[in-house]
Amino acid sequence: MFPDLSEYKWIVPDFIWELDQHINFDKLSKALPDAEELSKLLPDLEKLGESLSLLMGWFSADKLSKALPDAEELSKLLPDLEKLGESFSLLKGWFSTDKLSKALPDADELSKLLPDLEKLGESLSLLKGWFSAGHNLVSEVIGPSDLLLFLGPGGETAFKAMDSQTFEASEKQYKKGLLGELILLQEQIKQHEEEARRAAGNINTGTSQQHRKVSDKDKIDQLQEELLRTQLKYQRILERLEKENKDLRKLVLQKDDKGIHQRKLKKALIDMYSEVLDILSDYDANYNTQDHLPRVVVVGDQSAGKTSVLEMIAQARIFPRGSGEMMTRSPVKVTLSEGPHHVAMFKDSSREFDLTKEADLAALRDEIEVRMRKSVKNGQTVSPETISLSVKGPGIQRMVLVDLPGVISTVTSGMAPDTKETIFKISKAYMQNPNAIILCIQDGSVDAERSIVTDLVSQMDPQGRRTIFVLTKVDLAEKNVASPNRIQQIIEGKLFPMKALGYFAVVTGKGNSNESIDSIKDYEEEFFQGSSLLKKGMLKAHQVTTKNLSLAVSDCFWKMVRESIEQQADAFTATRFNLETEWKNNYPRLRELDRNELFEKAKNEILDEVISLTQVTPRHWEEILQKTLWERVSTHVIENIYLPAAQTMNSGTFNTTVDIKLKQWTDKQLPNKAVEVAWETLQQEFSRFMTEQKGKEHDDIFDKLKESVKEESIKRHKWNEQAEDSLRVIQHNALEDRSISDKQQWDAAIHFMEDTLHSRLNDTDSVIRDMVGPDWKERWISWTSRAPEQHIRNETKNELEKMLKVNEGHPAYLANDEVTTVRKNLEARGVEVDPVLIKDTWHQVYRRHFLKSALAQCNLCRRGFFYYQRHFVDSELECNDVVLFWRIQRMLGITANTLRQQLINTEVRRLEKNVKEVLEDFAEDGDKKVTLLTGKRVQLAEDLKKVREIQEKLEAFIEALHQEN
C-alpha cells in the first residue's frame, strides 16, 4: 500500500479531501469490474509490490533528503508498460459506462472543486524539488552563521551540511531547476572559499612571503571577486524562490480568508501570545510574579535608526519621524504576523489601516503620535505606558517587538529634567527580563565612542546570551570611516565592550523620510552588491540586510519562547493557588467579584434606589415641599410684606400694600425660590435612598461610588425652564384670592399665623437674650455676670421698653429726637451709649413688641369669621392679617401640589435618565472605577481574575505551540 497521506495533508490540495463528499461509493462499487476480471488484466502484482515498496522507502522521512533514482534504475523496476496500457484501456471502457457516470459527480460540480491545474503542476514540480533536497537546502541556504551557535543545543550548529557522499549520489538529480542551481552554486562557493584560503595561506606562510609574485595576489583578488559574484547569484536565486513562495502563501491565505474551504479559522499563534503580553502589561504584580515572557526589545541611541529597522522588519513606514528630535515618547509593542493583507490595527480599536495606501499610512503615523502625546502627562517628556499595535502581511516574520524611546546623553531645552533617567528606567525595566531578546541598534555613521546604549546593554546582558547587535547606516560608515577595518571590528564584536549572539550590518535608506520600503530594500541590496566590505571579506553574506536580520531575530524569539513558556505558566499556577487560598481565608462567604462585576452589582442597586423615588407618596412630597418652601420665604413675608403693611393706619391701606408687595414678590422671586426648593427636596430624597443602610445586606464597598454617582447626577440635572413661567401664573392667581369659604379654613389660617408669630417671637427673644446677657436669675444660679457691652444694651433696652409702654402704637422707626432723648437719659444714669447701638437695640425691642401685639390680635380674631363674612361692617375688629396668612398658606399648598406633580411626572424620570448616563460613563472610565471601588477585597478579586486569565491563555498558547511543533 501507499504511505498514509494524512501525514502529508499539508501538501495535498483541499479538493482531494472534499472530493469524497461528492462521490456515491455504493454506486461506484457496482459499476467497477469484478476482482477476478481485474486480476487477469493487471500485471504481476508481486513485482509491482516490490517496486512500490522500494519507492515507499525512498519517500520515508529518514531518506527524504536523498535524491530520487535516475531514469535507468526506475525503468528496471517498473512493469511492462505496454501490458499495463492495455489493462488501463479496458478500465477506461468500464469507467465510461452509464452506471459509473451516474455514480460519479457532475462535471460542473467537479470543475468547481478542482483548482487551476496548470498552477498546481508548477507548485508540485517545485514541491518535488523541495522534497528531494529540502533538508540539505536549508543547511546550505542558511550558511555558516555566527547566530547558529545559539540556535543549536550544546554550542553546536542547528543544521549540519550534508556529507560529500550524499552530494555525489544526488548530484545528478540537482542539475535541473532553480534548486539544482542553488546546490551547485553553494558547492562552487565552498570551492572558491577553499581556493582563496589556500592561496592566502601560501602567501602568508614561510620565510619567503615578501618575495611572492604579484600574480599570486592578483589570483587571490580574482578568486574573491568570483566568489562574490557567485554569492550574489546565489542570493538572487534564493530571492526568486522566496518571492514565488510568498505569492503562493498569499493566495492560500486569501482563500482561507474568504472562507472558500468553509474552515473555522483559528487564532494565530503569535496573536495568542500577544494577548498574554497585553494582559501582563496591565497586571500589577503584587505577589512577586514578574513578567518574564520573551519579547524583542529594540534599544538604541536617539536617531540611531532603530525605528527604521523595525519598519523594515514590519515592511511599512508606520512610525512618526522627525529630523533629529525625539519621536518615540513611549514604548510601542508591535505584534508581527503573517496574513493575506498588509494591515495594522491597535489593540483597543477595530479600525484597520491598509498599509498599502499612503493615506492610511499617514493616518496611522498621526494616530501613533497622538497616542504618545496623550500618554505623556504632568509635564513629562516620555511615558512608560505601552501602545499596543499589530501588523499583519504576507511574508512577515512572526514575533513581538517593543520599540523603546531612544537613549540620550544630554537633556535639551523643552525636555523634563528627569527625561534621561526616565528613559534609562524604562529601558532597564524591559531589558532586565531574563528572557527578553535585546536588539541593540548602533549608528554606524558616528564614532563608536559616543555610544551610550552599548554600555547599558552590557550591564543588562554581560554574557551576550540574548543580545543581537545591529549596525545601521553602513553606507555612510563606509564613506566616512577612514579605516574600514573598524567596521569589521564592530561586526566581529572586538570594538565594543559587549558580547552578542550575532552581529548584523544593515542600510535603512538614504535618509529621506518619503522613501518607500521597496526602494530602501533595493538600495540596500544595491549597496551591498557593490560594497568593498563584502568584496574584501570584512562582512559575510549572512550578516547583511534587514531580511537576514528579521529571520535571525524571529528564530531566536521562538526558541526563547519554547524554552521559557512552560516555566512561566507554572509560576502563574502557583500564584493562582496562593490568591485563591487568601480569598478563602479572608472572604469565605463572598463570591469573587472583580471590579467590573462589583460595578454592575452597584449599578443595579443604584437604579433600584432611583426607582424608589417613584414610590414616595404624594402627601409626603407635598408636606416636605410646603414646609421647606415656607422656611425659605417666611423671613421675606414677615419682614418685607407683613411688617410694612401692619404700619398702615387702616385696612384699605393694609390690603393695598399687601397686594403690591405680593405682586412684586411673585413676579421676581417666588417662582424661582419654589423651583429651588423642589430641586433641593428631590436631592434630599434621592440622597436619603442612596445613603440609607439596608441592614445586613448593606455593602459599604459601594458607598463611595454611590456618593459620586449622586453628586454627578445632581450636577447634570437641570430643572425644566418652563416650570417657572407656569408656576408664576398659578401662584399669582392663588395670592389674589381673598375669599375664605368656611370656618375650618379660617381656623387653619389662625393656627398658621400663631405658629409663625410664635416662632418669630422665640427667635427675637433669643437674639435679645444674647444682646443683654443673662438676667438676675441666671446670674445667681450660674454665677455669671454681664459683659460691659451687654450691660449697656440692657440699660438701653429698659429705656426703650419704657417708651413703648407710654406709646404702644409707636411706629416701627425711631425718630432722631427720640434717640437723643434715650441717650441723654442713659447718660444721666452714667451710661455712655452710641446712637447706632440705640437703633440696633430698638429694632429687636420693637420687633418683640409688634409680635406680641400681633399674637394678641390673632387671639381676638379666632371668633372673627362671622365679621369677616360681613366684611367687618359694624365691628371694630380687623383681621386683615389673618386673611393675608390664609392667602400665603393657600399659595404654599397650591405650589407644593404643582411641584409634586412635576417631580413625579417629569423630574424623577429625568433624574433616572441622568443616573443611567452617569453610570454608563463611569462604566467606560476604567480609572474612575479604580478610584471609586477600592480596598483589599477588590484588589484581591482583580488579581485573581487577571492571574486566571493569564494562566488559561498561557495553557491555550502552549497547547497550540505543541500542535504546531
Side-chain angles (χ1 to χ4, degrees):
M1 294 297 292
F2 292 102
D4 186 8
L5 291 180
S6 62
E7 299 179 3
Y8 306 95
K9 188 174 181 179
W10 62 279
I11 63 171
V12 177
D14 291 333
F15 76 90
I16 293 177
W17 305 106
E18 297 176 1
L19 189 60
D20 61 320
Q21 299 177 4
H22 298 270
I23 297 178
N24 190 331
F25 285 96
D26 294 334
K27 296 181 180 180
L28 183 62
S29 64
K30 297 177 182 179
L32 291 176
D34 186 59
E36 296 180 358
E37 296 177 7
L38 187 61
S39 62
K40 298 176 183 179
L41 297 172
L42 292 177
D44 187 1
L45 295 180
E46 294 181 358
K47 187 173 181 181
L48 183 61
E50 295 174 359
S51 304
L52 293 177
S53 299
L54 183 58
L55 284 172
M56 180 178 174
W58 287 336
F59 278 92
S60 61
D62 57 341
K63 297 180 180 179
L64 192 59
S65 61
K66 298 181 181 180
L68 294 172
D70 55 15
E72 295 179 0
E73 295 178 0
L74 189 61
S75 63
K76 296 177 182 180
L77 297 173
L78 294 175
D80 187 0
L81 297 178
E82 293 181 0
K83 187 176 180 180
L84 189 62
E86 294 174 0
S87 303
F88 281 112
S89 297
L90 184 57
L91 284 173
K92 180 180 178 182
W94 284 336
F95 274 80
S96 61
T97 60
D98 294 335
K99 293 182 180 180
L100 187 62
S101 62
K102 294 178 181 179
L104 291 176
D106 189 88
D108 294 334
E109 296 178 2
L110 190 61
S111 63
K112 296 178 182 179
L113 296 172
L114 293 176
D116 187 354
L117 296 179
E118 294 181 0
K119 195 164 187 181
L120 182 62
E122 296 175 1
S123 304
L124 292 175
S125 299
L126 185 59
L127 282 173
K128 178 183 177 183
W130 285 341
F131 268 100
S132 62
H135 179 75
N136 299 325
L137 176 61
V138 171
S139 62
E140 296 297 336
V141 167
I142 294 179
S145 171
D146 293 342
L147 194 62
L148 295 180
L149 294 176
F150 70 89
L151 292 177
E156 297 179 357
T157 58
F159 302 102
K160 298 180 180 179
M162 68 178 184
D163 54 19
S164 59
Q165 294 179 356
T166 306
F167 181 80
E168 292 174 358
S170 58
E171 184 177 2
K172 296 179 181 179
Q173 302 299 326
Y174 296 151
K175 289 186 177 180
K176 293 183 180 180
L178 289 175
L179 295 176
E181 290 187 47
L182 284 175
I183 302 303
L184 294 177
L185 284 172
Q186 183 64 17
E187 188 65 21
Q188 292 175 11
I189 291 173
K190 288 184 178 181
Q191 293 175 1
H192 291 320
E193 288 178 345
E194 185 63 27
E195 291 176 3
R197 282 195 293 268
R198 285 199 299 267
N202 293 333
I203 290 180
N204 295 327
T205 57
T207 57
S208 59
Q209 58 181 352
Q210 296 179 354
H211 305 288
R212 294 292 183 183
K213 297 180 180 180
V214 180
S215 59
D216 293 336
K217 295 182 180 179
D218 294 339
K219 184 177 180 180
I220 293 175
D221 295 338
Q222 183 180 359
L223 286 173
Q224 288 180 341
E225 290 179 2
E226 187 176 355
L227 173 63
L228 182 60
R229 285 194 300 270
T230 307
Q231 287 178 334
L232 293 176
K233 184 179 179 181
Y234 176 74
Q235 186 70 22
R236 283 194 294 271
I237 295 174
L238 265 181
E239 290 175 356
R240 281 184 57 192
L241 283 173
E242 289 173 351
K243 186 176 184 304
E244 291 177 2
N245 183 38
K246 178 179 176 180
D247 293 339
L248 287 173
R249 286 187 62 82
K250 184 176 180 180
L251 289 174
V252 173
L253 290 170
Q254 285 177 342
K255 288 182 179 179
D256 284 343
D257 190 50
K258 294 177 182 177
I260 293 177
H261 304 305
Q262 302 295 326
R263 292 175 181 171
K264 184 178 179 181
L265 298 178
K266 295 183 179 180
K267 188 174 293 185
L269 192 64
I270 189 66
D271 293 332
M272 297 172 65
Y273 185 76
S274 180
E275 285 183 2
V276 176
L277 295 182
D278 288 334
I279 299 172
L280 281 172
S281 64
D282 300 331
Y283 174 60
D284 184 15
N286 291 329
Y287 295 89
N288 298 322
T289 302
Q290 299 178 357
D291 174 15
H292 288 167
L293 291 178
R295 69 262 284 163
V296 180
V297 180
V298 186
V299 295
D301 297 326
Q302 184 179 348
S303 302
K306 57 183 180 58
T307 301
S308 299
V309 172
L310 204 155
E311 287 181 332
M312 291 292 290
I313 296 175
Q315 301 180 15
R317 307 299 297 269
I318 60 177
F319 290 103
R321 43 193 175 269
S323 179
E325 61 177 316
M326 177 180 292
M327 299 306 298
T328 306
R329 297 180 177 271
S330 65
V332 181
K333 182 177 75 68
V334 184
T335 303
L336 301 178
S337 60
E338 192 173 22
H341 307 290
H342 204 185
V343 295
M345 181 186 297
F346 289 100
K347 178 188 73 170
D348 55 354
S349 173
S350 59
R351 178 185 177 183
E352 274 193 352
F353 296 87
D354 189 347
L355 302 184
T356 60
K357 298 179 180 179
E358 188 57 39
D360 279 20
L361 276 171
L364 177 61
R365 290 193 290 265
D366 293 340
E367 179 67 17
I368 291 176
E369 186 171 4
V370 168
R371 287 173 178 255
M372 283 184 180
R373 295 191 180 277
K374 283 184 178 180
S375 67
V376 177
K377 301 174 183 177
N378 302 324
Q380 297 296 311
T381 306
V382 294
S383 168
E385 295 183 14
T386 303
I387 299 173
S388 186
L389 178 71
S390 64
V391 177
K392 297 183 179 181
I396 294 180
Q397 298 298 318
R398 303 180 303 168
M399 67 185 95
V400 177
L401 303 100
V402 182
D403 185 23
L404 300 179
V407 179
I408 60 175
S409 58
T410 305
V411 177
T412 59
S413 60
M415 291 184 179
D418 61 343
T419 301
K420 180 179 177 181
E421 290 75 15
T422 304
I423 294 175
F424 269 83
K425 183 178 179 182
I426 295 173
S427 301
K428 288 182 178 179
Y430 278 91
M431 288 191 293
Q432 69 184 4
N433 177 0
N435 297 319
I437 300 162
I438 304 172
L439 197 61
C440 179
I441 310 297
Q442 170 63 36
D443 189 349
S445 63
V446 300
D447 295 335
E449 290 76 10
R450 294 169 57 185
S451 175
I452 306 173
V453 70
T454 51
D455 293 336
L456 181 61
V457 172
S458 62
Q459 294 176 13
M460 296 292 103
D461 185 24
Q463 302 301 323
R465 294 176 180 173
R466 51 189 180 90
T467 301
I468 299 176
F469 181 87
V470 182
L471 186 67
T472 62
K473 306 178 185 179
V474 182
D475 52 340
L476 300 178
E478 188 179 34
K479 295 178 183 178
N480 301 333
V481 177
S483 175
N485 293 330
R486 192 172 179 83
I487 298 177
Q488 183 179 7
Q489 290 179 337
I490 294 175
I491 295 301
E492 291 178 352
K494 297 178 180 179
L495 188 62
F496 289 111
M498 61 169 286
K499 300 177 182 179
L501 288 170
Y503 296 84
F504 289 86
V506 299
V507 175
T508 55
K510 301 177 182 179
N512 184 4
S513 60
N514 295 323
E515 288 181 285
S516 65
I517 293 296
D518 291 335
S519 63
I520 296 175
K521 286 182 178 178
D522 294 340
Y523 173 71
E524 184 181 44
E525 181 181 354
E526 180 182 350
F527 166 76
F528 282 117
Q529 285 178 359
S531 173
S532 61
L533 298 174
L534 277 178
K535 291 180 180 179
K536 296 179 181 180
M538 296 181 183
L539 295 178
K540 298 179 182 179
H542 67 270
Q543 290 182 308
V544 297
T545 72
T546 50
K547 184 173 185 180
N548 289 336
L549 170 65
S550 63
L551 288 170
V553 174
S554 179
D555 289 342
C556 184
F557 169 76
W558 285 106
K559 177 177 181 293
M560 194 72 78
V561 168
R562 290 184 176 91
E563 290 178 352
S564 61
I565 191 68
E566 294 189 1
Q567 182 180 0
Q568 292 298 304
D570 293 340
F572 278 101
T573 302
T575 303
R576 174 177 176 175
F577 175 79
N578 295 337
L579 292 175
E580 289 176 345
T581 302
E582 185 175 0
W583 181 274
K584 291 177 182 178
N585 293 333
N586 289 280
Y587 311 104
R589 297 185 178 181
L590 294 178
R591 288 192 301 125
E592 301 164 4
L593 299 179
D594 60 25
R595 187 172 277 110
N596 291 330
E597 293 170 333
L598 285 172
F599 182 83
E600 289 299 320
K601 183 179 179 181
K603 176 181 176 181
N604 294 330
E605 287 189 11
I606 292 172
L607 292 177
D608 290 342
E609 289 159 358
V610 175
I611 293 297
S612 300
L613 283 173
T614 60
Q615 307 302 319
V616 178
T617 61
R619 180 178 179 181
H620 180 73
W621 279 119
E622 291 185 14
E623 288 178 353
I624 296 176
L625 289 168
Q626 186 169 347
K627 179 181 178 182
T628 308
L629 180 59
W630 176 239
E631 291 175 353
R632 190 65 57 85
V633 302
S634 60
T635 301
H636 179 85
V637 172
I638 299 298
E639 302 293 336
N640 299 90
I641 299 177
Y642 179 50
L643 285 178
Q647 306 303 314
T648 58
M649 301 302 297
N650 54 62
S651 60
T653 309
F654 178 91
N655 291 331
T656 302
T657 304
V658 166
D659 289 343
I660 293 173
K661 291 188 176 295
L662 286 177
K663 180 70 167 58
Q664 294 174 349
W665 182 44
T666 305
D667 290 339
K668 296 179 180 180
Q669 300 179 16
L670 182 57
N672 181 263
K673 288 288 185 183
V675 170
E676 287 181 2
V677 167
W679 176 219
E680 291 176 5
T681 303
L682 179 60
Q683 293 181 41
Q684 292 173 1
E685 290 298 302
F686 180 46
S687 300
R688 180 171 66 86
F689 282 110
M690 291 284 285
T691 58
E692 186 177 26
Q693 296 188 3
K694 298 175 177 59
K696 294 181 179 180
E697 297 180 359
H698 177 72
D699 195 344
D700 56 1
I701 201 171
F702 299 142
D703 291 348
K704 197 173 181 180
L705 174 62
K706 290 182 177 180
E707 183 66 23
S708 181
V709 171
K710 182 195 74 174
E711 293 177 357
E712 184 65 24
S713 301
I714 291 173
K715 187 187 299 182
R716 296 186 185 185
H717 186 83
K718 292 182 179 179
W719 200 273
N720 190 355
E721 296 179 354
Q722 299 177 354
E724 289 189 17
D725 296 333
S726 59
L727 193 60
R728 182 178 290 106
V729 176
I730 294 172
Q731 290 172 335
H732 182 72
N733 294 334
L735 289 172
E736 281 188 343
D737 187 9
R738 295 195 189 93
S739 58
I740 304 176
S741 59
D742 53 31
K743 181 68 166 56
Q744 184 177 1
Q745 294 181 3
W746 180 269
D747 293 339
I750 293 289
H751 182 70
F752 175 59
M753 181 177 175
E754 281 185 335
D755 289 343
T756 302
L757 294 178
H758 274 299
S759 175
R760 293 291 164 176
L761 181 60
N762 293 333
D763 294 340
T764 303
D765 287 338
S766 177
V767 172
I768 293 176
R769 188 179 302 108
D770 293 337
M771 290 174 58
V772 302
D775 57 11
W776 68 271
K777 187 176 181 180
E778 292 179 12
R779 293 197 304 272
W780 186 79
I781 295 175
S782 304
W783 199 254
T784 57
S785 60
R786 291 191 177 111
E789 184 179 355
Q790 290 177 336
H791 176 72
I792 295 174
R793 285 188 177 274
N794 183 59
E795 294 295 331
T796 305
K797 177 184 74 76
N798 294 335
E799 189 66 27
L800 293 173
E801 287 177 346
K802 291 177 183 179
M803 184 185 300
L804 286 173
K805 284 182 180 181
V806 175
N807 183 13
E808 292 185 355
H810 195 287
Y813 302 100
L814 194 65
N816 292 331
D817 57 344
E818 292 176 323
V819 174
T820 304
T821 301
V822 171
R823 184 169 60 83
K824 289 183 177 179
N825 292 337
L826 291 173
E827 289 178 351
R829 296 203 300 268
V831 179
E832 295 291 335
V833 63
D834 185 74
V836 177
L837 187 145
I838 295 174
K839 291 182 178 181
D840 186 39
T841 307
W842 164 258
H843 177 72
Q844 299 299 330
V845 171
Y846 179 81
R847 183 184 180 85
R848 182 167 65 177
H849 170 74
F850 171 79
L851 291 173
K852 288 181 177 180
S853 301
L855 280 171
Q857 181 69 15
C858 180
N859 190 41
L860 292 175
C861 289
R862 286 182 180 276
R863 297 181 296 273
F865 180 69
F866 173 77
Y867 298 104
Y868 166 77
Q869 290 179 323
R870 300 181 59 183
H871 304 290
F872 299 103
V873 177
D874 300 331
S875 173
E876 296 181 357
L877 184 65
E878 293 184 358
C879 297
N880 293 305
D881 47 359
V882 177
V883 177
L884 169 63
F885 276 92
W886 179 83
R887 294 166 69 182
I888 298 294
Q889 186 183 38
R890 184 168 181 271
M891 181 274 298
L892 292 174
I894 293 174
T895 301
N897 180 269
T898 304
L899 292 175
R900 186 264 306 167
Q901 293 181 20
Q902 187 171 357
L903 279 172
I904 294 177
N905 298 332
T906 305
E907 302 305 328
V908 170
R909 294 179 182 177
R910 291 179 64 231
L911 179 61
E912 181 182 358
K913 181 180 178 181
N914 289 339
V915 171
K916 290 181 179 179
E917 291 177 354
V918 170
L919 288 171
E920 290 175 359
D921 293 344
F922 284 7
E924 297 175 358
D925 191 346
D927 296 336
K928 198 79 172 179
K929 287 191 283 188
V930 171
T931 304
L932 298 177
L933 292 172
T934 58
K936 180 181 177 181
R937 169 181 155 197
V938 180
Q939 191 59 50
L940 186 57
E942 280 289 303
D943 292 338
L944 258 174
K945 175 189 175 183
K946 289 289 184 183
V947 170
R948 283 173 178 162
E949 185 178 8
I950 293 169
Q951 184 193 12
E952 291 170 0
K953 289 188 177 294
L954 279 176
E955 290 176 351
F957 172 76
I958 292 172
E959 182 179 357
L961 187 65
H962 290 332
Q963 291 177 356
E964 185 182 72
N965 292 340

